[in-house]
Amino acid sequence: MELIKPGINFDFVGKMRIAALVSAAAILISIVSLIAHGGPNWGIDFAGGTVIQVKFQKDVPIDGIRRSLDAVNLSEVTIQQFGARDEHEYLIRTAESTEDLKGLSGRIEDSLAAAFGRDGFEVRRVEVVGPKVGRDLTQKGIMAVVFSWIAMLVYIAWRFEFRFAVGGILALVHDTIITVGVLSLLRMEFSLVIVAALLTIIGYSINDTIVIYDRIRENMRKNVRQELAQVINASINQTLSRTILTVLTVVLVLVSILLFGGAVIFDFAFAILVGVIVGTYSSIFIASPLVLAWERARPSKRKRK
């Protein structure tokens, strides 16, 4: 299946300045959002605390749940509906953490039972993460993302050239910052699931970039005297059909998960959806033009004309 007719020639390289302005604006908005909100909306995995998932037999008001927990003396309690409305499930989050998981769960069950009856609800999950564990997870999460960038840098520099590696890694940094920025703007929770999503995005984006880099390398060998800008433009156009088909199939799957996958996997699918769209854009408008910018700043020894 070929969506783009052979011989078509969109001037992607000619739009690199506009793309640079768009990306700079998106990165700036992302950073401002993170600063304004005091960083990502850390989930219990990183901030520490307790999360309790409760399923009720019927719809109950959030204020009623909050009042029923007064006897437990939980600190900074937030309650939100979880999943579909007719499933009557709620997530109760608190900054309080304790190693006495059974004791905490028992106190919560007793308080809810006093308000809604012992058979009126079911505690499905109680998770507790201490502040120290949260800090450790934060450091390891950041290291996982940074090490993935470094590994990609080494791999692309070995397989192609250093200038390709620089373009690819800067595009990955661009994708990661904008994805985190979108999550920050929407105040979505930043959990270990989101770290997994970011690593998935990095893998997807670099794979898309390498496909284009491969075609650029082939065309450089075939057209030694052609300007690098023309080679990059031709290579992106030649891989455009494959890029569109790949991103469309991935987006269809992600939209299906968002619509029918439930609340548990919603944040993961949403983060990947944002990352796939941003990653596809950066593969075309950021990674390859950066190779051209590097060539203009530091021309390679091999003359192309």
Side-chain angles (χ1 to χ4, degrees):
M1 184 175 180
E2 195 168 45
L3 293 178
I4 307 297
K5 293 180 179 178
I8 200 160
N9 186 29
F10 292 115
D11 184 16
F12 294 106
V13 173
K15 305 294 186 297
M16 60 186 292
R17 293 185 181 223
I18 298 174
L21 290 174
V22 170
S23 293
I27 290 172
L28 182 62
I29 291 171
S30 299
I31 293 174
V32 169
S33 174
L34 287 167
I35 294 173
H37 290 125
N41 182 21
W42 298 112
I44 185 176
D45 303 331
F46 300 110
T50 305
V51 60
I52 306 112
Q53 181 182 337
V54 184
K55 177 178 174 59
F56 290 89
Q57 296 300 322
K58 59 182 181 181
D59 193 23
V60 295
I62 288 179
D63 287 343
I65 300 173
R66 189 184 301 278
R67 285 195 297 273
S68 72
L69 295 173
D70 287 345
V72 189
N73 292 323
L74 298 174
S75 56
E76 299 181 25
V77 177
T78 59
I79 302 172
Q80 66 180 108
Q81 192 138 24
F82 182 74
R85 190 172 184 81
D86 58 356
E87 293 178 351
H88 315 309
E89 288 195 46
Y90 296 87
L91 284 180
I92 303 168
R93 302 175 192 276
T94 173
E96 179 177 310
S97 61
T98 172
E99 294 180 357
D100 186 9
L101 189 59
K102 289 184 179 178
L104 179 63
S105 177
R107 284 189 289 146
I108 291 169
E109 285 194 44
D110 289 343
S111 295
L112 292 176
F116 304 104
R118 184 66 65 178
D119 298 327
F121 68 93
E122 175 190 356
V123 176
R124 294 197 154 184
R125 177 167 53 114
V126 179
E127 293 182 1
V128 178
V129 178
K132 184 178 179 182
V133 175
R135 286 194 295 272
D136 288 344
L137 288 175
T138 303
Q139 293 173 357
K140 289 176 180 175
I142 294 172
M143 287 172 64
V145 173
V146 172
F147 282 148
S148 69
W149 289 342
I150 295 172
M152 295 294 178
L153 179 71
V154 173
Y155 171 70
I156 301 174
W158 168 72
R159 181 169 172 181
F160 296 91
E161 298 173 28
F162 186 70
R163 54 181 171 169
F164 285 87
V166 172
I169 295 307
L170 289 179
L172 290 182
V173 175
H174 163 280
D175 301 344
T176 306
I177 292 175
I178 293 178
T179 302
V180 173
V182 171
L183 299 179
S184 172
L185 285 169
L186 298 176
R187 299 305 293 151
M188 293 180 71
E189 189 175 273
F190 197 96
S191 62
L192 283 176
V193 170
I194 298 300
V195 174
L198 291 178
L199 293 174
T200 306
I201 291 165
I202 289 171
Y204 174 88
S205 181
I206 201 64
N207 180 64
D208 208 30
T209 301
I210 284 177
V211 170
I212 296 175
Y213 278 0
D214 254 335
R215 186 58 60 92
I216 292 174
R217 184 171 56 180
E218 288 175 15
N219 288 335
M220 285 173 64
R221 290 170 180 167
K222 290 178 184 175
N223 309 291
V224 178
R225 294 186 175 279
Q226 196 172 31
E227 289 281 358
L228 183 58
Q230 295 174 334
V231 172
I232 291 175
N233 231 359
S235 303
I236 297 174
N237 277 285
Q238 290 166 10
T239 56
L240 192 58
S241 181
R242 177 263 178 202
T243 301
I244 293 174
L245 284 173
T246 302
V247 72
L248 278 179
T249 52
V250 174
V251 166
L252 283 175
V253 172
L254 292 172
V255 170
S256 299
I257 294 174
L258 286 172
L259 293 176
F260 308 111
V264 174
I265 202 169
F266 184 89
D267 288 358
F268 179 77
F270 180 80
I272 293 184
L273 178 62
V274 173
V276 165
I277 294 171
V278 176
T280 303
Y281 157 81
S282 71
S283 297
I284 295 173
F285 290 101
I286 302 297
S288 301
L290 278 173
V291 176
L292 179 61
W294 182 279
E295 173 69 18
R296 288 173 177 172
R298 302 184 62 180
S300 59
K301 294 179 181 178
R302 184 175 58 176
K303 298 293 183 183
R304 304 195 52 77
K305 191 171 181 180

